[in-house]
């Protein structure tokens, strides 16, 4: 098969692409690189003029304040449009989500229609914010979610503009159109599978692919200090509950002054980010999740201890009787207690790192995951 991937926010499509290539398939990935992350792609529709040159940024920002029109989105759409003639001979196309191009919904639909004329087999990934996901989370029926900080303080609405946009009429129209024009919906973890099911959608659940041949396991070695890494994406600061990590780490640094080292990064490119935490033993990922996101899984593949989503639903689904990650909660005292236990019991830290790697190899191995995608695409 020849497969086209549209959009990339983590490294999901890249790893899936590598798994498919290993199986003898052809793949092409087109994306914007996702802002500062600069994730690899074959063809880019990044808004390189309006985003990268300050001389254009200020006028565009002023225009946006006055009219709510973001010309960066227009540039992305134009670049995508001029890529379409190059996209020939594909058997299947998969979108990373309904806003895979990152433009206005009307322009998205126009471009999708033009692309879909060339490719009749299509799938839509549910691997982040999406219309039914936000619809369900807005019901506030679940124990906690990425919208919990918004429910607790609606003055944060501006910080939640990106997830909340999917509940707007124009984004909803695009999602509904894609449901009608894609043969399969695929959810990448339980944080998306559960809401989709609650909202009445039938989805194929396929865990995130992790390329364990690229991400080498290194047994945790503790010398002088236990190193804790916190990587901050300022755009998702609130919805990931980073404030709880910051407060907990402040207490830990005071409590274990000579025993720990804390490394904090903010808004750095993906390649720099994933190498920066190599020497860390513990990685703080996110609070408001039931399952692991992509960053957490990659760190687990390296044998790191990750504070992330690892709720009862996750343990039940994978039939786990020992921890492979620490279930992070929006509770500073709880986080301090979990960190303190690991610092005071380094043997458990080392053992959990081994279990984390074994779990990734068993449940997220990129070639096995690629085979599952092929089964879904060929079935439909």
């Amino acid at each position: 098969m020849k497969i086209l991937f549209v959009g990339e926010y983590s490294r999901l499509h890249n790893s899936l692409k590598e798994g498919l290539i290993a199986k003898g398939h052809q793949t092409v990935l087109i994306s914007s690189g996702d802002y500062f992350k600069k994730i690899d792609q074959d063809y880019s529709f990044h808004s390189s003029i309006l985003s990268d040159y300050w001389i254009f940024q200020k006028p565009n920002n002023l225009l946006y304040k006055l009219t709510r029109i973001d010309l960066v989105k227009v540039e992305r759409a134009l670049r995508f449009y001029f890529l379409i003639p190059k996209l020939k001979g594909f058997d299947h196309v998969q979108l990373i989500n309904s806003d895979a191009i990152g433009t206005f919904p009307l322009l998205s639909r126009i471009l999708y229609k033009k692309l879909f004329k060339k490719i009749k087999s299509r799938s839509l990934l549910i691997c982040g914010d999406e219309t039914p996901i936000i619809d369900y989370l807005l019901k506030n029926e679940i124990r906690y979610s990425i919208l919990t900080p918004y429910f607790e303080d609606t003055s944060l609405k501006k910080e939640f503009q990106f997830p909340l946009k999917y509940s707007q009429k124009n984004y909803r129209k695009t999602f509904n159109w894609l449901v009608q024009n894609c043969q399969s919906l695929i959810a990448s973890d339980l944080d998306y599978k559960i809401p989709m099911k609650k909202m009445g959608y039938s989805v194929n659940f396929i865990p995130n692919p992790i390329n364990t041949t690229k991400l080498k396991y290194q047994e945790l070695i503790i010398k002088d200090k236990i190193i804790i890494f916190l990587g901050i994406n300022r755009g998702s600061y609130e919805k990931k509950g980073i404030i709880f990590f910051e407060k907990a780490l402040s207490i830990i640094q005071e409590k274990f002054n000579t025993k720990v080292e804390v490394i904090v990064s903010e808004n750095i490119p993906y390649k720099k980010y994933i190498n920066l935490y190599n020497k860390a033993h513990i990685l703080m990922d996110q609070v408001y999740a039931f399952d692991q996101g992509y960053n957490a899984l990659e760190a687990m593949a390296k044998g790191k201890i990750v504070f992330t989503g690892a709720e009862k639903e996750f343990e039940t689904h994978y039939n786990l009787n020992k921890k492979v990650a620490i279930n992070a909660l929006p509770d500073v005292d709880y986080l301090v207690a979990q960190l303190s236990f690991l610092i005071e019991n380094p043997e458990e830290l080392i053992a959990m790192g081994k279990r984390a790697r074994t779990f990734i190899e068993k449940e997220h191995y990129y070639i096995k995951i690629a085979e599952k995608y092929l089964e879904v695409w060929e079935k439909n």
Side-chain angles (χ1 to χ4, degrees):
M1 288 180 74
K2 187 178 180 183
I3 301 113
L4 174 66
F5 295 116
V6 180
E8 179 73 298
Y9 298 141
S10 52
R11 207 180 172 279
L12 193 165
H13 268 166
N14 271 281
S15 295
L16 180 54
K17 174 185 170 183
E18 289 157 4
L20 290 164
I21 289 172
K23 296 289 294 180
H25 299 276
Q26 293 178 273
T27 63
V28 171
L29 169 56
I30 63 174
S31 83
S32 68
D34 199 25
Y35 301 100
F36 66 86
K37 296 178 187 175
K38 298 180 180 178
I39 304 173
D40 290 339
Q41 72 282 116
D42 297 304
Y43 296 108
S44 173
F45 50 85
H46 169 61
S47 53
S48 57
I49 295 175
L50 291 167
S51 293
D52 296 350
Y53 294 95
W54 65 268
I55 195 170
F56 297 113
Q57 290 172 2
K58 287 188 177 180
N60 184 53
N61 291 339
L62 179 60
L63 178 68
Y64 180 75
K65 286 180 180 179
L66 294 173
T67 66
R68 311 308 290 176
I69 295 174
D70 185 356
L71 291 180
V72 167
K73 293 185 176 183
V74 176
E75 185 184 349
R76 281 197 209 108
L78 284 170
R79 290 184 179 279
F80 189 93
Y81 175 81
F82 288 116
L83 278 177
I84 290 176
K86 298 179 181 180
L87 308 176
K88 297 177 180 178
F90 288 95
D91 301 299
H92 186 85
V93 57
Q94 179 163 281
L95 307 182
I96 197 73
N97 83 333
S98 62
D99 190 29
I101 303 171
T103 187
F104 297 104
L106 174 61
L107 294 179
S108 288
R109 292 194 298 275
I110 291 170
L111 293 168
Y112 292 153
K113 287 175 184 178
K114 190 171 182 63
L115 180 66
F116 285 7
K117 284 181 180 178
K118 295 170 170 280
I119 312 171
K120 302 304 180 184
S121 178
R122 313 144 190 159
S123 55
L124 174 64
L125 259 180
I126 313 295
C127 62
D129 300 335
E130 192 57 271
T131 296
I133 306 295
I134 301 305
D135 284 347
Y136 177 68
L137 297 186
L138 283 169
K139 294 174 181 285
N140 201 14
E141 295 177 353
I142 205 163
R143 294 194 294 280
Y144 56 77
S145 76
I146 59 167
L147 294 187
T148 295
Y150 169 69
F151 294 136
E152 294 175 347
D153 182 2
T154 53
S155 70
L156 294 172
K157 187 172 183 179
K158 185 178 179 182
E159 280 72 24
F160 285 85
Q161 60 181 313
F162 288 105
L164 291 174
K165 74 181 183 183
Y166 289 96
S167 64
Q168 296 172 7
K169 183 178 179 180
N170 49 0
Y171 284 92
R172 185 180 304 281
K173 185 175 181 179
T174 300
F175 175 79
N176 290 337
W177 184 86
L178 285 170
V179 170
Q180 295 299 316
N181 287 274
C182 292
Q183 288 79 22
S184 53
L185 303 178
I186 301 171
S188 64
D189 74 43
L190 298 175
D191 287 299
Y192 314 122
K193 178 190 175 186
I194 293 170
M196 290 297 287
K197 185 176 180 181
K198 292 283 187 180
M199 295 303 292
Y201 289 89
S202 176
V203 296
N204 300 276
F205 176 62
I206 306 178
N208 283 302
I210 300 296
N211 189 338
T212 51
T213 60
K214 282 192 171 184
L215 298 171
K216 302 299 183 183
Y217 168 73
Q218 289 185 322
E219 183 174 331
L220 297 177
I221 298 172
I222 301 166
K223 296 179 180 177
D224 299 325
K225 295 182 178 181
I226 289 176
I227 302 170
I228 306 170
F229 178 81
L230 172 62
I232 300 173
N233 176 347
R234 191 52 63 176
S236 59
Y237 180 91
E238 297 290 348
K239 74 177 190 177
K240 287 198 171 185
I242 300 300
I243 186 68
F244 294 99
F245 289 147
E246 289 179 324
K247 289 180 178 179
L249 289 175
S250 178
I251 295 170
I252 287 294
Q253 282 180 295
E254 187 174 341
K255 183 178 178 181
F256 298 99
N257 184 32
T258 61
K259 291 185 176 181
V260 298
E261 176 187 347
V262 175
I263 301 172
V264 179
S265 73
E266 184 172 332
N267 285 17
I268 60 175
Y270 169 80
K271 288 181 179 178
K272 184 176 180 181
Y273 169 86
I274 199 168
N275 288 321
L276 190 59
Y277 68 71
N278 275 342
K279 68 175 183 177
H281 303 96
I282 299 171
L283 182 137
M284 315 303 283
D285 179 49
Q286 60 180 325
V287 164
Y288 298 114
F290 281 37
D291 198 348
Q292 298 91 59
Y294 207 85
N295 285 345
L297 294 171
E298 289 196 318
M300 290 165 66
K302 290 185 172 185
K304 310 299 182 186
I305 307 306
V306 184
F307 279 64
T308 185
E311 275 286 356
K312 290 177 287 186
E313 289 85 348
F314 159 74
E315 292 180 337
T316 299
H317 178 82
Y318 288 105
N319 194 28
L320 298 172
N321 52 31
K322 288 187 177 182
K323 290 182 179 180
V324 296
I326 300 296
N327 185 38
L329 296 174
D331 181 331
V332 173
D333 291 340
Y334 165 84
L335 294 173
V336 169
Q338 293 293 319
L339 283 165
S340 297
F341 174 78
L342 291 172
I343 294 165
E344 292 166 348
N345 297 274
E347 68 282 354
E348 173 55 20
L349 190 146
I350 294 168
M352 194 186 304
K354 292 178 180 178
R355 295 197 297 270
R357 173 68 182 199
T358 300
F359 169 75
I360 298 298
E361 289 175 342
K362 180 183 177 186
E363 304 293 351
H364 294 274
Y365 183 56
Y366 73 120
I367 294 178
K368 184 171 76 173
I369 298 301
E371 291 170 351
K372 292 184 178 183
Y373 272 89
L374 288 168
E375 287 175 14
V376 169
W377 297 338
E378 290 168 355
K379 179 179 67 177
N380 291 306

